[in-house]
Amino acid sequence: MGVLLEPAPAAAPAVHPNPIVNDFSFVVATENGTGSQTANLTILRALFKMGIPVNGKNIFPSNIQGLPTWYHIRVSKDGYVARRHTSELLIAFNEATVAEDIKNVPAGGVCLFNADWRNVPTREDITLYSIPVNMFVRETGLKGKLGNYIANMVYVGAVAHLFGIPLDYIEDALRFNFGGRQKLVDSNMAVVRAAYDWSVANIVKVDPYAVSRMNETSGMIMMTGNEAAALGAIFGGVNFVAWYPITPSTSLVDAINEYLPRFRTDKTTGEVTCAVIQAEDELAAMGMILGAGWAGTRSMTATSGPGISLMAEFTGMGYFAEIPAVVWNIQRVGPSTGLPTRTGQGDIIFTYYLGHGDSKNVILFPSSIKECFEFGTTSFNLAEMLQTPVFVLSDLDLGMNNWMSEPFTFPDEPLQRGKVLSAEEVNSKGFARYKDVDGDGITYRTLPGNENPRSAWFARGTGHNEKAGYSERPEDWYNNMERLARKFDTARKLVPGPVVQRMAGAKVGIIAVGTTEYAIEEARDRLVAANLPTNFMRLRALPINDEVSQFVAEHEYVYVVELNRDGQLHSILITEMPHLATKLRSIAYLDGMPLTARWLVEAVEAAEAQQEVL
């Protein structure tokens, strides 16, 4: 170890005396725009098909090509899918970053790099393997971008040999990635096999890392959160989508366009039953979906933080005019353009109060691709039942990376349209657009096309009386605001409730939303070993309900874990539960990377030590 391993005669992989099987992480370092994503997804899906729990995280720059990119693959026999703090295996295929990448490999780790490079640094405490990439590229006769694609397939073949991935799984993964286009599969597999055979003949394996077949992914699926959200929206009845491209939400609408011909084609006309329009900006997109929502159409948009900023005024109008619409916010790192290709949870407090005046918005927080699918229907149902814009706050990690899941369940329950009056019901019940008949703050509405002349209404601005007549009378404004507050309290009973996981003897709690769940799950297991059992509540929505306050009250204190600087969820919870404020403690962190269990354990232990001092 510690020296470059020269090519050797034919050698089979050695059996290490202390093998580490299905329990490590590796990172692939390449250059953005070279087609490495296909190679990385091939490795990820091959491992998934071997029955091994895996997760892939693409850490890519905010430009088209040329800058460094890293792809992290977590292999865990125990089913952990959070990002590892360090990666034991490095595939170093970016010469510009190879020195820094090798420096970051932990002691005992492994590095595979391009043998054609000069001045690659060595380390005495890691294993280095090299493979002559240019030889394989020359044999194909391909140059330029196609040559880069071939170079990436070289490391796929070497990885398959070094860590024990059977080539039939690699071929099956390529077939999936290329949509069954056999010519592409064959050309790529030719390079993979050549690199594999060369590695078998020339590389002596001395490291302990290996993979082996398991049966932990049988019957499961793998896809991105944005793809799952697109499917969920389609099955949830979306009829109109207006959007403006922005990372990392663009792929959500791209997936809607891809799935519509397959799942939403009218058998008579042959046309899709959902319109997708690219607006001139996010402000226009929000105006379009509110217009469609007013007309009775299930409408949505997808955006990220900067787009949410532009939607503020229209959101306020939708809140006060009480128009249903759905907004998917795939959160990224701000402010402004910020780090558009990094993940975070920095839009929570802004979205919750988005609008002008006293407004609060309903928010859903998916943490899995299954919930992305389910919230496709749930968000529309809530928007129409509550007659208000509903926001779904995902994030880049969930939205753009591949995750495992049980298959989705078809939403076989009827769509919930809420309090919509028919022509007959207008006569029997009467109609005043903003009158609270049932005491829940939710009024009845009619839709354009209702044949009863008494169903028509017209509102000017957001100041109105019960009959939608324009009003600046103080009592009308006050009464309307009080009713909207009652409606928000009703929403507490309608939104998805929190999910709670308990441990025996736990006196400390943790509250979080979204994808921090996976680092928290792993950290909780480690904290048990340190004699600190914890209970965990994952919020799935705002506003909160009584179950949240009960959870906080039953613990000595509760850590609120989130991916932002200022503890935004923590601030909201203090506002919602001021009598329990002293029990809530913020653990907030943001560097653009998905949270790791190691960081969280250290943060909790530091907080516990501080508590002992106090």
Side-chain angles (χ1 to χ4, degrees):
M1 298 175 64
V3 297
L4 303 187
L5 299 176
E6 296 296 334
V15 178
H16 197 277
N18 298 301
I20 300 175
V21 182
N22 297 344
D23 189 20
F24 53 85
S25 177
F26 61 85
V27 58
V28 183
T30 57
E31 183 180 299
N32 196 38
T34 61
S36 58
Q37 186 77 334
T38 299
N40 300 332
L41 292 177
T42 296
I43 296 173
L44 181 73
R45 188 162 291 276
L47 294 168
F48 173 70
K49 288 296 184 180
M50 290 179 67
I52 307 170
V54 291
N55 179 254
K57 299 188 186 300
N58 190 21
I59 311 300
F60 61 103
S62 55
N63 72 334
I64 301 299
Q65 62 182 18
L67 290 181
T69 182
W70 296 268
Y71 193 83
H72 296 253
I73 297 179
R74 175 78 183 268
V75 180
S76 173
K77 58 183 175 56
D78 299 314
Y80 295 129
V81 294
R83 182 176 69 91
R84 285 281 290 273
H85 202 83
T86 57
S87 295
E88 294 87 345
L89 311 180
L90 166 67
I91 293 90
F93 268 54
N94 186 352
E95 190 171 10
T97 63
V98 64
E100 186 70 18
D101 291 333
I102 289 179
K103 180 181 177 181
N104 292 331
V105 177
V110 178
C111 172
L112 171 69
F113 66 94
N114 189 336
D116 303 309
W117 297 341
R118 297 181 179 181
N119 302 318
V120 174
T122 62
R123 282 177 52 184
E124 293 297 325
D125 58 346
I126 68 173
T127 300
L128 294 113
Y129 301 122
S130 63
I131 185 168
V133 176
N134 288 344
M135 179 184 73
F136 298 98
V137 175
R138 284 195 302 269
E139 289 179 357
T140 64
L142 299 175
K143 298 180 180 179
K145 183 177 290 189
L146 292 177
N148 291 331
Y149 293 161
I150 293 302
N152 294 326
M153 285 300 151
V154 170
Y155 70 70
V156 174
V159 165
H161 161 63
L162 285 171
F163 307 113
I165 307 175
L167 290 185
D168 55 343
Y169 287 98
I170 297 291
E171 184 169 6
D172 185 61
L174 282 172
R175 190 173 293 109
F176 179 90
N177 290 336
F178 289 127
R181 290 171 288 181
Q182 195 60 40
K183 185 176 180 180
L184 287 174
V185 174
D186 291 342
S187 61
N188 281 270
M189 272 306 298
V191 179
V192 171
R193 286 194 179 93
Y196 179 92
D197 292 341
W198 187 96
S199 300
V200 169
N202 293 277
I203 295 181
V204 178
K205 179 176 172 63
V206 295
D207 68 88
Y209 301 101
V211 297
S212 179
R213 292 181 182 88
M214 297 179 68
N215 193 33
E216 296 301 313
T217 65
S218 178
M220 300 182 76
I221 62 174
M222 177 181 283
M223 67 192 318
T224 69
N226 282 353
E227 291 170 329
L231 280 173
I234 289 171
F235 282 93
V238 66
N239 292 115
F240 180 76
V241 180
W243 71 299
Y244 185 79
I246 182 172
T247 302
S249 69
T250 298
S251 61
L252 196 161
V253 181
D254 286 344
I256 288 178
N257 278 321
E258 180 182 348
Y259 291 136
L260 279 175
R262 181 176 177 185
F263 296 111
R264 289 284 296 278
T265 300
D266 186 282
K267 294 181 180 179
T268 303
T269 65
E271 297 181 355
V272 296
T273 58
C274 174
V276 180
I277 297 177
Q278 180 174 328
E280 58 266 37
D281 53 34
E282 291 90 348
L283 191 154
M286 190 65 183
M288 290 178 180
I289 68 169
L290 286 176
W294 171 81
T297 294
R298 290 201 153 187
S299 60
M300 64 166 281
T301 188
T303 189
S304 191
I308 293 293
S309 300
L310 291 177
M311 295 175 180
E313 186 172 7
F314 262 133
T315 297
M317 190 193 79
Y319 173 85
F320 285 106
E322 299 178 68
I323 301 173
V326 170
V327 180
W328 281 80
N329 176 8
I330 315 303
Q331 296 173 97
R332 68 192 207 186
V333 176
S336 185
T337 53
L339 300 178
T341 59
R342 297 292 191 266
T343 195
Q345 296 177 332
D347 296 339
I348 298 175
I349 201 165
F350 183 54
T351 306
Y352 191 51
Y353 298 112
L354 190 67
H356 303 286
D358 296 309
S359 58
K360 288 183 180 179
N361 297 301
V362 173
I363 299 176
L364 302 180
F365 296 104
S367 74
S368 65
I369 60 173
K370 186 175 183 180
E371 282 188 337
C372 284
F373 177 80
E374 292 171 349
F375 287 177
T377 297
T378 302
S379 59
F380 283 126
N381 286 347
L382 286 171
E384 296 209 273
M385 292 166 66
L386 294 167
Q387 301 174 33
T388 193
V390 169
F391 292 81
V392 187
L393 264 59
S394 177
D395 60 38
L396 184 145
D397 186 22
L398 177 58
M400 296 193 70
N401 289 323
N402 279 273
W403 299 77
M404 304 178 298
S405 174
E406 298 292 335
F408 306 149
T409 302
F410 183 83
D412 54 1
E413 295 183 1
L415 302 182
Q416 303 297 316
R417 301 305 306 271
K419 297 180 179 182
V420 180
L421 295 177
S422 66
E424 294 76 14
E425 289 171 329
V426 170
N427 283 330
S428 61
K429 295 184 177 182
F431 176 58
R433 175 65 184 93
Y434 294 113
K435 183 177 182 180
D436 184 2
V437 177
D438 303 317
D440 57 4
I442 304 173
T443 64
Y444 286 84
R445 63 178 174 139
T446 58
L447 301 179
N450 189 309
E451 296 178 353
N452 192 322
R454 296 172 59 194
S455 71
W457 62 280
F458 175 80
R460 173 187 167 201
T462 53
H464 47 249
N465 57 27
E466 290 183 343
K467 295 182 179 179
Y470 180 76
S471 173
E472 295 187 14
R473 293 167 59 96
E475 57 268 32
D476 285 338
W477 183 265
Y478 177 84
N479 290 337
N480 194 53
M481 295 296 290
E482 288 297 292
R483 179 183 60 77
L484 288 171
R486 287 197 302 275
K487 183 171 79 167
F488 200 68
D489 283 336
T490 299
R492 300 180 191 277
K493 306 170 186 176
L494 298 179
V495 299
V499 176
V500 179
Q501 301 173 11
R502 298 184 182 273
M503 289 182 172
K507 297 180 181 180
V508 175
I510 297 175
I511 289 179
V513 297
T515 53
T516 55
E517 173 185 13
Y518 304 105
I520 292 170
E521 288 178 345
E522 187 173 353
R524 291 178 66 227
D525 289 345
R526 297 186 187 184
L527 289 169
V528 168
N531 198 30
L532 183 62
T534 59
N535 294 329
F536 174 44
M537 170 175 277
R538 178 171 63 84
L539 301 184
R540 297 195 294 163
L542 288 175
I544 61 172
N545 58 23
D546 291 340
E547 190 177 351
V548 181
S549 58
Q550 292 170 5
F551 179 85
V552 175
E554 69 187 31
H555 293 89
E556 292 181 357
Y557 46 87
V558 175
Y559 292 113
V560 184
V561 179
E562 48 193 311
L563 278 178
N564 52 62
R565 187 192 67 182
D566 296 329
Q568 297 180 19
L569 179 63
H570 175 257
S571 297
I572 291 173
L573 293 179
I574 287 176
T575 302
E576 297 277 319
M577 302 177 292
H579 59 295
L580 297 171
T582 58
K583 286 179 173 280
L584 295 168
R585 300 178 182 178
S586 176
I587 295 183
Y589 182 76
L590 180 67
D591 64 358
M593 300 290 283
L595 195 66
T596 68
R598 174 175 154 184
W599 180 90
L600 184 55
V601 168
E602 292 174 351
V604 171
E605 289 178 342
E608 290 292 307
Q610 180 66 25
Q611 177 64 21
E612 292 177 4
V613 171
L614 296 176

